[in-house]
């Protein structure tokens, strides 16, 4: 099926972020919005226990006996309930008294609901634990993952990890939603022909706005390398399963479609009309990791293959037509996002402003050829272990454009310890819009050792939160906005025309790459890139890509010359090592850019699961005299 990129905004033009070549925005794109007023405040959480020892959560700390969290206990904020005045979160309770004390149920990772309007629940708490004390028989087969808490639009159910918390006829936030009325149902995906076993691996689940369909990702292992595909399926309640594990009531994911077709157009491929040439198709449906859906239910959002080399962005694709929109284009890294109820805005957790990724991606307009083997590496440098460099960024529908690169929601403050813009407090996943589009909730974690202190040049900071808590949940209110709620969404079709129906038991497909050989990649407006692709000795994967640019230009103004060569190998399942040699220049349109490695090259080994930077040699990008250098090892 032929697909084209929807050129509806600057993010799709490729000339749309700091240090990009200057050019006009795509036709019909309005002027970027002016910054708008934002009020940021913190939402309440349970009190902090001094330790995880049983009974450490005393009546003095919590007179109501409704639990405590730890100083460094993990949490994750989620989405708003339909009432617009409460938001879901997952916290880890510690220090509960032993049974039969009524407070003994406030232990472990649990779903809570937090008030956002300054009111309280009937017991006087500004938060309510939904899953604490749920009887075992109401949670038979409950799965361990408890993350990404997302309410259904009916307000009576919440997707949490690979479970659905269901309060029957009662809204989750209502006083009538008590533990005995609450059920926790596991979610299962059939992955064997006879429907035996525990089911397929599900991760990063996202509920579709129709309350019926579910998007998710699943890891693959191919040729000793970790990969993943994204899927869309329909949730079907199964009250009495006769196959698979477990046999208690559960939700089955049925009519599953893999959001990928190996026979379809690929991001970088051999031109079928010219076998000696490559072509780059920015409209290819290269769904990497599914991130969610538009509020009208028509689009799926995802991290896709780069449009520009080393620049990781988020895209949206129409589930019916396959039309693709590039939502972000800044050279920094973006991952967690949420589209506004009216569809006109994106809130993104992005590293922009930190310069974390600029040594790799600041030089714009380089076609994503070496990215065939470097994407896992370039995306993994965004973090320093548990320290992220994300901040919440508000971006209009037309995306990064010229000097416009969105508005940081928490820009106000003095930057000192505990301030809303304290750089030691980093955004996590996922930011979420309120139902009326007038507020965004997000959560942050304070940098802790070894991501600060000791050998790390970033000094550690003492938490100013109650009890020294190292996590916090924030709300950014867009005070000048009028409510603009999302439309009610009818159930969508199970069919995704550009996807492929999943057949249980079939192996995942390979992501196609151009065969080994030497190719020409023509610039859209002139010049060429000569690309040499060499496979590994076993012939299974690309091992080296070498590119020579000669007057390469896609816009007729900005011209790239020079060479780049990258080799990649995988010492283990999640570890990638690259040997990178770059000597590139870009000139024109008021921009002078270089991307250069040291004479001995840049050599990086990084684990995609831990994100600890460990390199020898240097890779430096310079834009109009400003140098962007790589992070120090271990930072």
């Amino acid at each position: 099926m032929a697909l084209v990129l929807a050129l509806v905004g600057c993010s799709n033009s490729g000339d749309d972020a700091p240090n990009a070549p200057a050019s006009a925005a795509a036709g019909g794109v309005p002027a970027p919005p002016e910054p708008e007023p934002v009020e940021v405040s913190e939402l309440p959480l349970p009190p902090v226990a001094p330790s995880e020892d049983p009974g450490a959560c005393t009546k003095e700390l919590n007179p109501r006996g409704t639990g405590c969290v730890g100083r460094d206990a993990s949490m994750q904020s989620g989405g708003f309930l339909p009432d617009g005045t409460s938001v879901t979160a997952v916290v880890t309770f510690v220090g509960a008294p032993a049974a039969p004390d009524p407070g003994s149920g406030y232990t472990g990772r649990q779903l809570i609901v937090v008030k956002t309007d300054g009111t309280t629940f009937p017991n006087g708490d500004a938060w309510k634990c939904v899953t604490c004390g749920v009887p075992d028989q109401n949670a038979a087969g409950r799965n361990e993952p408890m993350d990404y808490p997302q309410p259904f639009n009916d307000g009576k159910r919440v997707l949490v990890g690979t479970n659905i918390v269901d309060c029957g006829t009662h809204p989750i936030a209502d006083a009538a939603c008590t533990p005995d009325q609450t059920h926790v149902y596991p979610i299962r995906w059939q992955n064997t022909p006879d429907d035996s076993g525990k089911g397929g691996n599900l991760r990063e689940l996202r509920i579709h706005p129709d309350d019926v369909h579910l998007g998710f990702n699943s890891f693959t292992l191919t040729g000793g390398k970790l990969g993943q595909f994204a899927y869309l399926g329909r949730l079907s309640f199964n009250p009495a399963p006769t196959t698979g594990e477990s046999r208690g009531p559960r939700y089955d994911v049925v009519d599953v479609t893999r959001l990928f077709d190996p026979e379809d157009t690929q991001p970088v491929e051999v031109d079928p009309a010219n076998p000696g040439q490559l072509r780059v198709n920015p409209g290819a449906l290269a769904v990497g990791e599914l991130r969610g859906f538009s509020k009208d239910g028509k689009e799926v959002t995802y991290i896709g293959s780069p449009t520009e080399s080393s620049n990781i962005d988020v895209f949206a694709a129409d589930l019916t037509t396959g039309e693709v929109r590039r939502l972000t284009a800044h050279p920094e890294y973006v991952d967690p996002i949420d589209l506004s109820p009216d569809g006109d805005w994106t809130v993104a957790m992005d590293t922009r402003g930190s310069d974390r990724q600029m040594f790799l991606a600041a030089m714009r307009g380089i076609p994503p050829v070496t990215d065939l083997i470097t994407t896992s590496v370039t995306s993994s440098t965004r973090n320093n272990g548990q320290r992220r460099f994300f901040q919440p960024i508000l971006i209009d529908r037309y995306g990064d454009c010229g000097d416009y690169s969105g508005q940081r929601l928490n820009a106000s403050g003095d930057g000192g310890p505990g301030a809303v813009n304290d750089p030691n407090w980093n955004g996590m996943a996922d930011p979420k819009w309120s139902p009326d589009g007038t507020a965004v909730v997000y959560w942050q974690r304070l940098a802790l050792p070894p991501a600060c202190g000791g050998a790390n040049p970033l000094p550690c900071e003492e938490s100013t939160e109650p009890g020294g808590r190292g996590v916090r949940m924030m709300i950014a209110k867009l005070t000048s906005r009028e409510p603009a709620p999302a439309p009610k969404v009818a159930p969508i079709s199970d069919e995704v025309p550009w996807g492929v129906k999943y057949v249980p038991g079939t192996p995942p497909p390979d992501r196609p790459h151009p065969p080994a050989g030497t190719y020409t990649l023509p610039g859209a407006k002139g010049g060429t890139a000569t690309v040499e692709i060499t496979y590994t000795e076993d012939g299974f994967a690309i091992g080296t890509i070498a590119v020579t640019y000669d007057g390469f230009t896609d816009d007729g103004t900005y011209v790239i010359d020079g060479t780049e060569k990258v080799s990649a190998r995988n010492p283990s399942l999640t570890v990638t090592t690259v040997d990178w040699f770059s000597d590139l220049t870009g000139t024109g349109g008021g921009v002078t850019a270089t991307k250069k490695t040291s004479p001995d090259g840049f050599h990086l080994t990084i684990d995609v699961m831990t994100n600890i930077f460990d390199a020898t040699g240097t890779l430096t990008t310079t834009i109009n005299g400003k140098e962007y250098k790589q992070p120090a090892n271990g930072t």
Side-chain angles (χ1 to χ4, degrees):
M1 179 170 62
L3 299 166
V4 295
L5 185 67
L7 291 175
V8 298
C10 256
S11 280
N12 300 296
S13 72
D15 304 320
D16 38 25
N19 308 314
S23 67
V29 177
E34 293 294 325
E36 58 184 290
V38 184
E39 291 182 359
V40 180
S41 57
E42 186 172 348
L43 295 177
L45 289 172
V48 175
S51 74
E52 299 184 5
D53 297 336
C57 183
T58 63
K59 289 292 185 181
E60 288 73 25
L61 288 172
N62 188 338
R64 298 183 184 91
T66 50
C68 298
V69 296
R71 289 186 60 189
D72 304 327
S74 59
M75 70 155 287
Q76 187 172 46
S77 68
F80 279 85
L81 290 165
D83 60 18
T85 62
S86 49
V87 66
T88 56
V90 171
V91 300
T92 303
F93 287 97
V94 301
D101 189 291
S104 62
Y106 290 88
T107 188
R109 200 155 170 82
Q110 304 285 356
L111 172 68
I112 67 171
V113 176
V114 179
K115 290 286 189 179
T116 64
D117 60 355
T119 63
T120 62
F121 290 95
N123 71 345
D125 283 334
W127 53 273
K128 167 191 173 180
C129 185
V130 179
T131 53
C132 295
V134 170
D136 290 344
Q137 63 268 25
N138 287 12
R142 167 178 171 171
N143 289 322
E144 185 64 29
M146 291 282 285
D147 52 15
Y148 301 102
Q150 303 158 66
F152 286 69
N153 288 318
D154 61 17
K156 301 170 184 177
R157 295 174 295 163
V158 179
L159 172 70
V160 188
T162 51
N163 305 283
I164 291 176
V165 177
D166 188 326
C167 211
T169 60
H170 306 296
I172 288 286
D174 196 85
C177 182
T178 55
D180 63 303
Q181 296 293 310
T182 304
H183 290 78
V184 182
Y185 298 118
I187 300 172
R188 183 179 180 276
W189 171 35
Q190 179 185 347
N191 69 335
T192 57
D194 62 357
D195 201 19
S196 60
K198 295 182 178 180
N201 168 267
L202 301 138
R203 65 180 303 271
E204 299 274 358
L205 286 69
R206 300 294 188 274
I207 187 69
H208 188 274
D210 68 359
D211 278 4
V212 173
H213 288 85
L214 179 73
F216 62 94
N217 303 282
S218 187
F219 280 140
T220 62
L221 175 58
T222 306
K225 184 175 182 179
L226 192 67
Q228 72 175 337
F229 286 98
Y231 298 83
L232 178 75
R234 176 166 43 85
L235 288 166
S236 176
F237 184 67
N238 189 344
T242 58
T243 57
E245 303 172 20
S246 65
R247 296 294 176 90
R250 70 187 189 214
Y251 277 88
D252 291 330
V253 189
V254 299
D255 286 322
V256 174
T257 297
R258 183 184 289 115
L259 301 180
F260 176 77
D261 183 355
E263 302 301 322
D264 212 335
T265 303
Q266 301 305 313
V268 179
E269 63 182 2
V270 177
D271 186 343
N274 299 282
Q277 290 188 1
L278 294 180
R279 64 181 184 182
V280 176
N281 179 17
L285 284 158
V287 180
E289 183 169 274
L290 184 144
R291 303 309 297 161
F293 301 93
S294 60
K295 297 300 188 295
D296 62 7
K298 294 180 180 179
E299 293 179 307
V300 58
T301 60
Y302 59 93
I303 303 171
S305 293
T307 298
E308 300 172 272
S309 187
S310 301
N311 187 353
I312 308 296
D313 288 312
V314 177
F315 301 80
D318 190 290
L319 285 166
T320 302
T321 68
E323 188 175 62
V324 174
R325 291 193 295 134
R326 185 182 180 187
L327 299 179
T328 63
H330 193 285
E332 285 289 348
Y333 181 91
V334 63
D335 187 343
I337 68 152
D338 195 31
L339 299 186
S340 64
D342 63 6
D344 287 340
W345 299 86
T346 299
V347 61
M349 283 295 178
D350 197 298
T351 63
R352 64 185 69 185
S354 70
D355 289 349
R356 181 74 182 179
Q357 298 288 95
M358 298 295 274
F359 80 103
L360 285 164
M363 183 173 170
R364 309 304 300 278
I366 304 172
V369 178
T370 58
D371 300 75
L372 291 169
I373 57 175
T374 62
T375 299
S376 62
V377 167
T378 54
S379 62
S380 298
T381 59
R382 70 191 186 274
N383 294 351
N384 173 24
Q386 289 298 313
R387 176 173 169 76
R388 300 193 179 195
F389 296 84
F390 287 151
Q391 297 297 342
I393 309 294
L394 180 68
I395 310 165
D396 81 347
R397 179 179 180 85
Y398 301 97
D400 303 298
C401 185
D403 292 333
Y404 174 72
S405 55
Q407 177 182 351
R408 180 171 164 178
L409 287 177
N410 61 340
S412 62
D414 61 12
V420 297
N421 62 338
D422 179 351
N424 288 318
W425 283 92
N426 295 160
M428 308 295 281
D430 279 350
K432 290 293 181 182
W433 286 93
S434 64
D436 65 359
T438 63
V440 172
V441 162
Y442 61 97
W443 69 287
Q444 297 177 306
R445 186 191 299 274
L446 183 64
L448 298 171
C452 64
N456 195 307
L458 174 74
C460 290
E461 176 183 302
E462 287 294 323
S463 173
T464 59
E465 294 297 300
R469 179 166 27 88
V471 291
R472 64 185 186 182
M473 186 160 53
M474 313 295 286
I475 184 168
K477 296 180 180 179
L478 307 172
T479 56
S480 65
R481 294 200 173 195
E482 295 296 325
K488 187 174 181 180
V489 177
I492 62 171
S493 171
D494 292 338
E495 305 301 318
V496 181
W498 48 269
V500 175
K501 278 294 181 184
Y502 171 73
V503 178
T506 56
D510 294 329
R511 291 190 182 268
H513 292 137
T518 300
Y519 302 90
T520 298
L521 173 64
K525 292 296 180 69
T528 59
T530 302
V531 181
E532 183 179 356
I533 297 176
T534 305
Y535 272 61
T536 53
E537 287 186 5
D538 59 12
F540 190 81
I542 296 176
T544 301
I545 298 177
V547 190
T548 299
Y549 295 92
D550 184 6
F552 183 94
T553 177
D554 277 336
D555 64 1
T557 301
Y558 179 72
V559 178
I560 299 174
D561 290 287
T563 60
E564 191 161 44
K565 180 180 180 180
V566 183
S567 299
R569 58 190 182 278
N570 297 100
S572 66
L573 178 64
T574 61
V575 175
T576 300
T577 295
V578 293
D579 302 308
W580 200 313
F581 297 85
S582 184
D583 186 7
L584 298 178
T585 62
T587 56
V591 175
T592 299
T594 63
K595 184 177 182 180
K596 294 180 179 292
T597 54
S598 53
D600 58 343
F602 170 72
H603 311 277
L604 173 67
T605 297
I606 197 162
D607 190 319
V608 299
M609 305 304 289
T610 57
N611 309 132
I612 305 299
F613 194 89
D614 183 19
T616 60
T618 62
L619 173 57
T620 303
T621 296
T622 305
I623 309 294
N624 289 343
K626 182 175 180 177
E627 288 189 340
Y628 296 100
K629 296 180 179 292
Q630 69 209 52
N633 286 346
T635 68

